Amino acid sequence: MSEQNIELPASGLAADILAQFINTAQAEVNQATSVEHRRLDDIIHHLVTFQLGKEEYGIEIASVQEIIRATDITPVPGASSHVRGVINLRGKIIPVVDLRTRFGLPQAEASDAQRIVVVELGPKRIGMLVDSVSQVIKVPLEVIEEMPEEAVSVDENYIKGVGKLDSRLIIILDLNKSLLLT
């Protein structure tokens, strides 16, 4: 521990010495808090964004393995309604979750813009069928807000937060909850 020289106030009164000590301690706490706030402000989320209907969604880029065209999905009898089927990706069988069905949205016609976003959740790889993939964006932590409790049911809370960028709202998904296969 380093030794500090404390300059005593001219009055020499205990109250003045204590006040000086408290002011110095408060200044140190304020400085540490300021540094912590700067670190939080510097946190940037890198998101892959995609469309489902008119809404824009985002997932952390670190969990995305690849993005491929939505072709040759083989249906699996008896699978959950939101599991569209499986694909063979370089010798690996990967289940494909139709996010429109999973989120209770109406079905859309197949298009050339549809993509399968292959993500890694722990040891599993899962594909997400989306209408289109938009871009990779950087979203600062300070523009992300939690989803209000009133907006989602407890059972189906797949949303981590909502990013506000200019005139856009990006719904940030919790992959573990949104891709449940059961």
Side-chain angles (χ1 to χ4, degrees), residues 48-52 55-59 103 105 159 169-173:
V48 173
T49 61
F50 57 89
Q51 302 286 130
L52 288 176
E55 302 303 323
E56 190 171 16
Y57 295 82
I59 57 174
F103 296 163
L105 300 172
I159 301 172
L169 289 180
I170 299 161
I171 301 168
I172 302 169
L173 297 179

PDB file of all heavy atoms in Angstrom, residues 48-52 55-59 103 105 159 169-173:
ATOM      1  N   VAL A  48     -25.958  -8.971 -37.017  1.00  0.00           N
ATOM      2  CA  VAL A  48     -26.421  -9.290 -38.365  1.00  0.00           C
ATOM      3  C   VAL A  48     -27.913  -8.992 -38.337  1.00  0.00           C
ATOM      4  O   VAL A  48     -28.635  -9.488 -37.474  1.00  0.00           O
ATOM      5  CB  VAL A  48     -26.177 -10.775 -38.698  1.00  0.00           C
ATOM      6  CG1 VAL A  48     -26.831 -11.131 -40.031  1.00  0.00           C
ATOM      7  CG2 VAL A  48     -24.697 -11.085 -38.735  1.00  0.00           C
ATOM      8  N   THR A  49     -28.377  -8.154 -39.258  1.00  0.00           N
ATOM      9  CA  THR A  49     -29.792  -7.798 -39.272  1.00  0.00           C
ATOM     10  C   THR A  49     -30.492  -8.499 -40.436  1.00  0.00           C
ATOM     11  O   THR A  49     -29.900  -8.735 -41.488  1.00  0.00           O
ATOM     12  CB  THR A  49     -30.006  -6.275 -39.371  1.00  0.00           C
ATOM     13  OG1 THR A  49     -29.438  -5.795 -40.581  1.00  0.00           O
ATOM     14  CG2 THR A  49     -29.386  -5.566 -38.181  1.00  0.00           C
ATOM     15  N   PHE A  50     -31.760  -8.817 -40.191  1.00  0.00           N
ATOM     16  CA  PHE A  50     -32.562  -9.493 -41.204  1.00  0.00           C
ATOM     17  C   PHE A  50     -34.015  -9.056 -41.071  1.00  0.00           C
ATOM     18  O   PHE A  50     -34.412  -8.474 -40.063  1.00  0.00           O
ATOM     19  CB  PHE A  50     -32.434 -11.022 -41.096  1.00  0.00           C
ATOM     20  CG  PHE A  50     -32.806 -11.578 -39.752  1.00  0.00           C
ATOM     21  CD1 PHE A  50     -34.108 -11.934 -39.459  1.00  0.00           C
ATOM     22  CD2 PHE A  50     -31.840 -11.743 -38.779  1.00  0.00           C
ATOM     23  CE1 PHE A  50     -34.447 -12.453 -38.224  1.00  0.00           C
ATOM     24  CE2 PHE A  50     -32.166 -12.260 -37.525  1.00  0.00           C
ATOM     25  CZ  PHE A  50     -33.476 -12.619 -37.251  1.00  0.00           C
ATOM     26  N   GLN A  51     -34.775  -9.337 -42.118  1.00  0.00           N
ATOM     27  CA  GLN A  51     -36.186  -8.938 -42.175  1.00  0.00           C
ATOM     28  C   GLN A  51     -37.088 -10.145 -41.984  1.00  0.00           C
ATOM     29  O   GLN A  51     -36.803 -11.230 -42.487  1.00  0.00           O
ATOM     30  CB  GLN A  51     -36.510  -8.319 -43.535  1.00  0.00           C
ATOM     31  CG  GLN A  51     -35.705  -7.118 -43.920  1.00  0.00           C
ATOM     32  CD  GLN A  51     -36.104  -5.875 -43.163  1.00  0.00           C
ATOM     33  OE1 GLN A  51     -35.249  -5.219 -42.630  1.00  0.00           O
ATOM     34  NE2 GLN A  51     -37.366  -5.548 -43.106  1.00  0.00           N
ATOM     35  N   LEU A  52     -38.172  -9.904 -41.271  1.00  0.00           N
ATOM     36  CA  LEU A  52     -39.330 -10.802 -41.230  1.00  0.00           C
ATOM     37  C   LEU A  52     -40.511  -9.881 -41.443  1.00  0.00           C
ATOM     38  O   LEU A  52     -40.842  -9.086 -40.560  1.00  0.00           O
ATOM     39  CB  LEU A  52     -39.458 -11.518 -39.886  1.00  0.00           C
ATOM     40  CG  LEU A  52     -38.446 -12.608 -39.561  1.00  0.00           C
ATOM     41  CD1 LEU A  52     -38.669 -13.129 -38.155  1.00  0.00           C
ATOM     42  CD2 LEU A  52     -38.535 -13.748 -40.568  1.00  0.00           C
ATOM     43  N   GLU A  55     -40.569  -5.914 -40.272  1.00  0.00           N
ATOM     44  CA  GLU A  55     -39.748  -5.685 -39.084  1.00  0.00           C
ATOM     45  C   GLU A  55     -38.307  -6.106 -39.320  1.00  0.00           C
ATOM     46  O   GLU A  55     -38.030  -7.054 -40.052  1.00  0.00           O
ATOM     47  CB  GLU A  55     -40.312  -6.455 -37.880  1.00  0.00           C
ATOM     48  CG  GLU A  55     -41.733  -6.102 -37.535  1.00  0.00           C
ATOM     49  CD  GLU A  55     -41.947  -4.631 -37.254  1.00  0.00           C
ATOM     50  OE1 GLU A  55     -41.062  -3.985 -36.662  1.00  0.00           O
ATOM     51  OE2 GLU A  55     -43.010  -4.110 -37.643  1.00  0.00           O
ATOM     52  N   GLU A  56     -37.397  -5.382 -38.651  1.00  0.00           N
ATOM     53  CA  GLU A  56     -35.977  -5.685 -38.735  1.00  0.00           C
ATOM     54  C   GLU A  56     -35.513  -6.285 -37.410  1.00  0.00           C
ATOM     55  O   GLU A  56     -35.805  -5.760 -36.344  1.00  0.00           O
ATOM     56  CB  GLU A  56     -35.193  -4.406 -39.058  1.00  0.00           C
ATOM     57  CG  GLU A  56     -33.754  -4.654 -39.394  1.00  0.00           C
ATOM     58  CD  GLU A  56     -33.059  -3.407 -39.922  1.00  0.00           C
ATOM     59  OE1 GLU A  56     -33.592  -2.287 -39.758  1.00  0.00           O
ATOM     60  OE2 GLU A  56     -31.965  -3.551 -40.482  1.00  0.00           O
ATOM     61  N   TYR A  57     -34.815  -7.399 -37.499  1.00  0.00           N
ATOM     62  CA  TYR A  57     -34.314  -8.121 -36.335  1.00  0.00           C
ATOM     63  C   TYR A  57     -32.802  -8.167 -36.392  1.00  0.00           C
ATOM     64  O   TYR A  57     -32.208  -8.026 -37.464  1.00  0.00           O
ATOM     65  CB  TYR A  57     -34.861  -9.552 -36.315  1.00  0.00           C
ATOM     66  CG  TYR A  57     -36.357  -9.638 -36.129  1.00  0.00           C
ATOM     67  CD1 TYR A  57     -37.225  -9.464 -37.210  1.00  0.00           C
ATOM     68  CD2 TYR A  57     -36.912  -9.884 -34.882  1.00  0.00           C
ATOM     69  CE1 TYR A  57     -38.595  -9.540 -37.046  1.00  0.00           C
ATOM     70  CE2 TYR A  57     -38.285  -9.963 -34.709  1.00  0.00           C
ATOM     71  CZ  TYR A  57     -39.117  -9.789 -35.792  1.00  0.00           C
ATOM     72  OH  TYR A  57     -40.481  -9.854 -35.619  1.00  0.00           O
ATOM     73  N   GLY A  58     -32.187  -8.412 -35.245  1.00  0.00           N
ATOM     74  CA  GLY A  58     -30.739  -8.527 -35.194  1.00  0.00           C
ATOM     75  C   GLY A  58     -30.303  -9.623 -34.244  1.00  0.00           C
ATOM     76  O   GLY A  58     -30.974  -9.899 -33.248  1.00  0.00           O
ATOM     77  N   ILE A  59     -29.183 -10.269 -34.587  1.00  0.00           N
ATOM     78  CA  ILE A  59     -28.554 -11.253 -33.710  1.00  0.00           C
ATOM     79  C   ILE A  59     -27.063 -10.968 -33.680  1.00  0.00           C
ATOM     80  O   ILE A  59     -26.507 -10.411 -34.629  1.00  0.00           O
ATOM     81  CB  ILE A  59     -28.828 -12.706 -34.171  1.00  0.00           C
ATOM     82  CG1 ILE A  59     -28.354 -12.925 -35.615  1.00  0.00           C
ATOM     83  CG2 ILE A  59     -30.288 -13.066 -33.999  1.00  0.00           C
ATOM     84  CD1 ILE A  59     -28.446 -14.355 -36.092  1.00  0.00           C
ATOM     85  N   PHE A 103     -42.642 -17.098 -34.534  1.00  0.00           N
ATOM     86  CA  PHE A 103     -43.123 -15.853 -33.932  1.00  0.00           C
ATOM     87  C   PHE A 103     -44.602 -15.598 -34.197  1.00  0.00           C
ATOM     88  O   PHE A 103     -45.120 -14.536 -33.893  1.00  0.00           O
ATOM     89  CB  PHE A 103     -42.307 -14.662 -34.449  1.00  0.00           C
ATOM     90  CG  PHE A 103     -40.851 -14.708 -34.057  1.00  0.00           C
ATOM     91  CD1 PHE A 103     -39.935 -13.922 -34.725  1.00  0.00           C
ATOM     92  CD2 PHE A 103     -40.389 -15.520 -33.036  1.00  0.00           C
ATOM     93  CE1 PHE A 103     -38.597 -13.933 -34.369  1.00  0.00           C
ATOM     94  CE2 PHE A 103     -39.046 -15.539 -32.685  1.00  0.00           C
ATOM     95  CZ  PHE A 103     -38.148 -14.754 -33.356  1.00  0.00           C
ATOM     96  N   LEU A 105     -46.163 -15.227 -37.085  1.00  0.00           N
ATOM     97  CA  LEU A 105     -46.406 -14.327 -38.214  1.00  0.00           C
ATOM     98  C   LEU A 105     -47.009 -15.125 -39.373  1.00  0.00           C
ATOM     99  O   LEU A 105     -46.781 -16.331 -39.487  1.00  0.00           O
ATOM    100  CB  LEU A 105     -45.090 -13.677 -38.666  1.00  0.00           C
ATOM    101  CG  LEU A 105     -44.354 -12.838 -37.619  1.00  0.00           C
ATOM    102  CD1 LEU A 105     -42.985 -12.414 -38.147  1.00  0.00           C
ATOM    103  CD2 LEU A 105     -45.178 -11.628 -37.239  1.00  0.00           C
ATOM    104  N   ILE A 159     -36.923 -11.783 -26.896  1.00  0.00           N
ATOM    105  CA  ILE A 159     -36.309 -10.506 -27.241  1.00  0.00           C
ATOM    106  C   ILE A 159     -35.365 -10.027 -26.139  1.00  0.00           C
ATOM    107  O   ILE A 159     -35.762  -9.916 -24.994  1.00  0.00           O
ATOM    108  CB  ILE A 159     -37.403  -9.459 -27.519  1.00  0.00           C
ATOM    109  CG1 ILE A 159     -38.280  -9.947 -28.673  1.00  0.00           C
ATOM    110  CG2 ILE A 159     -36.800  -8.104 -27.815  1.00  0.00           C
ATOM    111  CD1 ILE A 159     -39.506  -9.111 -28.914  1.00  0.00           C
ATOM    112  N   LEU A 169     -35.931   0.793 -35.728  1.00  0.00           N
ATOM    113  CA  LEU A 169     -35.956  -0.008 -34.509  1.00  0.00           C
ATOM    114  C   LEU A 169     -35.529  -1.415 -34.901  1.00  0.00           C
ATOM    115  O   LEU A 169     -36.084  -1.998 -35.836  1.00  0.00           O
ATOM    116  CB  LEU A 169     -37.357  -0.053 -33.896  1.00  0.00           C
ATOM    117  CG  LEU A 169     -37.858   1.229 -33.251  1.00  0.00           C
ATOM    118  CD1 LEU A 169     -39.270   1.011 -32.700  1.00  0.00           C
ATOM    119  CD2 LEU A 169     -36.936   1.693 -32.145  1.00  0.00           C
ATOM    120  N   ILE A 170     -34.535  -1.941 -34.197  1.00  0.00           N
ATOM    121  CA  ILE A 170     -34.039  -3.281 -34.481  1.00  0.00           C
ATOM    122  C   ILE A 170     -34.314  -4.156 -33.266  1.00  0.00           C
ATOM    123  O   ILE A 170     -33.837  -3.867 -32.170  1.00  0.00           O
ATOM    124  CB  ILE A 170     -32.536  -3.252 -34.814  1.00  0.00           C
ATOM    125  CG1 ILE A 170     -32.338  -2.399 -36.060  1.00  0.00           C
ATOM    126  CG2 ILE A 170     -32.006  -4.662 -35.008  1.00  0.00           C
ATOM    127  CD1 ILE A 170     -30.963  -1.914 -36.270  1.00  0.00           C
ATOM    128  N   ILE A 171     -35.103  -5.199 -33.469  1.00  0.00           N
ATOM    129  CA  ILE A 171     -35.450  -6.120 -32.392  1.00  0.00           C
ATOM    130  C   ILE A 171     -34.308  -7.120 -32.255  1.00  0.00           C
ATOM    131  O   ILE A 171     -34.016  -7.864 -33.202  1.00  0.00           O
ATOM    132  CB  ILE A 171     -36.782  -6.838 -32.695  1.00  0.00           C
ATOM    133  CG1 ILE A 171     -37.900  -5.803 -32.855  1.00  0.00           C
ATOM    134  CG2 ILE A 171     -37.099  -7.853 -31.609  1.00  0.00           C
ATOM    135  CD1 ILE A 171     -39.186  -6.349 -33.434  1.00  0.00           C
ATOM    136  N   ILE A 172     -33.660  -7.116 -31.102  1.00  0.00           N
ATOM    137  CA  ILE A 172     -32.495  -7.982 -30.878  1.00  0.00           C
ATOM    138  C   ILE A 172     -32.970  -9.259 -30.197  1.00  0.00           C
ATOM    139  O   ILE A 172     -33.571  -9.227 -29.125  1.00  0.00           O
ATOM    140  CB  ILE A 172     -31.433  -7.253 -30.036  1.00  0.00           C
ATOM    141  CG1 ILE A 172     -31.026  -5.957 -30.750  1.00  0.00           C
ATOM    142  CG2 ILE A 172     -30.228  -8.159 -29.807  1.00  0.00           C
ATOM    143  CD1 ILE A 172     -30.200  -5.022 -29.921  1.00  0.00           C
ATOM    144  N   LEU A 173     -32.706 -10.393 -30.859  1.00  0.00           N
ATOM    145  CA  LEU A 173     -33.221 -11.679 -30.405  1.00  0.00           C
ATOM    146  C   LEU A 173     -32.280 -12.393 -29.441  1.00  0.00           C
ATOM    147  O   LEU A 173     -31.058 -12.300 -29.569  1.00  0.00           O
ATOM    148  CB  LEU A 173     -33.470 -12.600 -31.600  1.00  0.00           C
ATOM    149  CG  LEU A 173     -34.510 -12.147 -32.605  1.00  0.00           C
ATOM    150  CD1 LEU A 173     -34.608 -13.164 -33.736  1.00  0.00           C
ATOM    151  CD2 LEU A 173     -35.857 -11.957 -31.943  1.00  0.00           C
TER     152      LEU A 173
END
